[in-house]
Amino acid sequence: MNNDSSSRIVARLKERINTSPPGARLPSTRALVAEFAASPVTVQKALQALKMQGLVEGRPGVGTFVRAARTARPSDYGWQSAALGSPQTLVPSASATMRTVPNDAISFHSGYPDRELLAERLVQAALARAARGETALSRPPVAGLPDLQSWFARELGETTPAGINPPTPSDVIVLPGSQSGLSSIFGALVGNGQPLLIESPTYWGAILAARNAGVRLVPVPSGPEGPDPSELARAFEETGARMFYAQPHYANPTGAQWSGERGEEVLEVVRDHGAFLVEDDWAHDFGIDTTPVPIAARDDSGHVIYIRSLTKSVSPAIRVAAVIARGPARERILADRGAETMYVSGLLQAAALDVVTQPGWQTHLRSLRHQLQSRRDLLVASIREHAPQVHIENIPKGGLHLWLRLPDGTNLDKLMRDCENDGVILAGGNEWFPAEPAGPFIRLNYSGPNPGAYHQGARILGRALKHSYQ
């Protein structure tokens, strides 16, 4: 029996507990094994879960009993409000994309690829080797393992054109995930109350990191081909900002990809204003119809701060990323990272490096490209067939997501509730806007579990849309 079986037993026993008086005795383990046709290990696991939740208690040699409810004294934390004062910024809670949902739900909301899209054997073997190696017992350098720094520098350097100095390993800072890098960049290089230009819509985690740093967000509208360079220049001039955060390749949530010409134009605007471009290359390994060439490869004057993550492509359990920056900006980011985390686990760094340097990694990426293409196309076809009211502005050339514009007047909250009641979990588009949303949107993840359910999920979405107008 697996975890799902144990969870079902827990749910059934909870129903019984809710209707039983305190002190009531549950059936014996042997009786529960017969009732649920489960193994003794699975039943014991379910009972242990109920004990951890405080619902039952075991009495050795006697049995398991419904625990008497305790009336707890209400906690009073009012003193903390006076001690802490008003927050400088109102930081939202974690994104709805991080929700854990039932296994039988059709999950369109997540921001991570399904386990079957990961190089599982490579990852497990790499973790085993790392656990036996020196990095399991030693402290790595603050900026990262030298070999991993070299790998990140080499990856970017391979796309650097002639006449541009490629990055060196000493330009690389290894991070415990790109989210921490964004926090350091915004906090150390922008600062509290200062303006930050940011694409709209954009990655919710960047919005969260910026707000947590007290940065003032200035939205720059961005479409399937990126922002209008003239609008970007105007925003720099009007605000005096010195930084622009963007995702030139397979943007989250829109899937947009800038052309090479658009990238050159944006870089020119940034240079003209003596500013920084923060290039978030989170989906570098998720190309489908194109292969991304980072804008950072065309800059050796320190205007582009480049972030690349391995967390989604290697494993969510291996939170390893890197920022490549030059000059004083790099030193400020490193100082902030050192104060925050001191260093990144050497074991995780070694495992990540092991995975991406194995011959099988490139084979995996080629297979991944085809799998993402088939999933993307299946979801697009499902939406067009069963939810034709939805507008698909852009078929992404890579990444993990499909960005959908809903009909004007759609009650987004009602739509999401109705879909969830029918077992379909959506991610509403509002949290990807740094200011007011430009309309009703949803983001669907085509790399999630059970692609065979895409047609059913789209059918439920289309049906719910008919009853979701304001």
Side-chain angles (χ1 to χ4, degrees):
M1 285 288 178
N2 55 27
N3 289 335
D4 290 345
S5 299
S6 176
S7 298
R8 284 194 292 271
I9 296 173
V10 168
R12 293 282 298 279
L13 290 179
K14 277 185 177 180
E15 295 174 1
R16 187 175 302 176
I17 290 168
N18 290 337
T19 59
S20 300
R25 181 177 178 178
L26 294 184
S28 67
T29 299
R30 180 178 297 178
L32 293 175
V33 166
E35 177 181 349
F36 294 107
S39 71
V41 172
T42 300
V43 170
Q44 287 293 344
K45 186 175 181 180
L47 292 175
Q48 184 62 32
L50 293 171
K51 291 176 184 177
M52 294 293 291
Q53 297 174 32
L55 298 178
V56 299
E57 58 184 355
R59 300 175 190 172
V62 180
T64 304
F65 297 82
V66 176
R67 192 172 186 178
R70 298 180 179 178
T71 303
R73 176 176 57 84
S75 300
D76 181 9
Y77 302 118
W79 68 270
Q80 291 192 4
S81 299
L84 295 171
S86 298
Q88 293 183 347
T89 56
L90 295 177
V91 179
S93 59
S95 167
T97 65
M98 302 297 289
R99 288 179 56 193
T100 299
V101 300
N103 292 334
D104 57 351
I106 301 174
S107 302
F108 285 137
H109 72 296
S110 175
Y112 287 81
D114 187 41
R115 176 173 175 173
E116 68 179 32
L117 296 180
L118 303 179
E120 184 172 340
R121 292 183 179 179
L122 290 181
V123 171
Q124 291 176 340
L127 284 169
R129 283 190 288 268
R132 296 192 299 267
E134 180 182 345
T135 56
L137 299 171
S138 59
R139 179 186 66 80
V142 175
L145 295 179
D147 288 347
L148 186 57
Q149 289 179 290
S150 297
W151 182 85
F152 276 111
R154 186 167 60 252
E155 281 281 296
L156 181 58
E158 288 177 352
T159 60
T160 299
I164 301 294
N165 292 323
T168 65
S170 61
D171 297 324
V172 178
I173 302 171
V174 178
L175 309 166
S178 59
Q179 189 67 24
S180 65
L182 293 176
S183 295
S184 287
I185 291 167
F186 298 152
L189 305 186
V190 182
N192 185 51
Q194 297 303 307
L196 168 71
L197 306 187
I198 188 167
E199 287 182 294
S200 180
T202 193
Y203 170 45
W204 66 265
I207 297 173
L208 179 65
R211 286 180 175 160
N212 195 45
V215 168
R216 178 165 60 89
L217 294 173
V218 181
V220 177
S222 189
E225 297 179 357
D228 183 333
S230 62
E231 286 294 314
L232 179 63
R234 182 183 60 80
F236 271 121
E237 291 162 4
E238 290 183 355
T239 65
R242 288 293 179 265
M243 182 173 287
F244 174 44
Y245 168 82
Q247 304 168 82
H249 297 286
Y250 322 136
N252 178 6
T254 64
Q257 182 178 31
W258 303 1
S259 66
E261 292 76 16
R262 179 60 54 89
E264 290 283 1
E265 292 170 342
V266 168
L267 183 55
E268 191 62 30
V269 170
V270 168
R271 286 170 173 161
D272 288 345
H273 290 84
F276 295 98
L277 168 65
V278 178
E279 180 181 9
D280 189 344
D281 197 15
W282 71 276
H284 186 89
D285 295 322
F286 298 130
I288 298 175
D289 302 315
T290 59
T291 299
V293 178
I295 295 175
R298 293 169 249 169
D299 173 69
D300 59 4
S301 54
H303 283 284
V304 181
I305 297 173
Y306 176 76
I307 301 179
R308 179 173 173 187
S309 175
L310 296 176
T311 301
K312 286 184 170 65
S313 56
V314 172
S315 168
I318 300 180
R319 289 194 58 79
V320 171
V323 60
I324 298 180
R326 311 192 197 201
R330 188 253 186 201
E331 301 310 313
R332 293 194 186 190
I333 296 169
L334 181 60
D336 187 87
R337 279 293 84 217
E340 183 70 22
T341 60
M342 293 189 182
Y343 55 84
V344 180
S345 163
L347 188 148
L348 294 183
Q349 290 188 63
L353 179 62
D354 189 328
V355 171
V356 297
T357 54
Q358 289 292 328
W361 177 244
Q362 293 303 320
T363 302
H364 166 72
L365 291 182
R366 287 191 293 271
S367 172
L368 178 62
R369 179 183 291 260
H370 295 300
Q371 292 182 76
L372 289 176
Q373 180 178 17
S374 63
R375 286 167 173 255
R376 178 201 64 185
D377 294 348
L378 175 60
L379 182 56
V380 169
S382 301
I383 294 296
R384 286 175 170 168
E385 179 180 355
H386 299 294
Q389 316 96 307
V390 170
H391 177 61
I392 304 176
E393 185 178 24
N394 173 51
I395 306 297
K397 295 180 173 62
L400 307 176
H401 313 116
L402 193 62
W403 183 240
L404 305 179
R405 172 66 187 257
L406 306 177
D408 290 338
T410 299
N411 185 325
L412 184 59
D413 290 337
K414 183 179 187 305
L415 174 70
M416 293 176 64
R417 284 195 306 271
D418 290 348
C419 285
E420 184 161 351
N421 288 339
D422 285 334
V424 175
I425 314 299
L426 305 176
N430 290 355
E431 65 183 279
W432 280 278
F433 288 91
E436 293 81 4
F441 292 86
I442 55 174
R443 191 203 71 175
L444 305 185
N445 178 4
Y446 52 77
S447 70
N450 193 13
Y454 287 0
H455 277 292
Q456 181 184 356
R459 188 180 298 113
I460 292 171
L461 171 61
R463 185 170 65 237
L465 273 170
K466 297 177 182 178
H467 307 287
S468 65
Y469 294 106
Q470 303 280 10

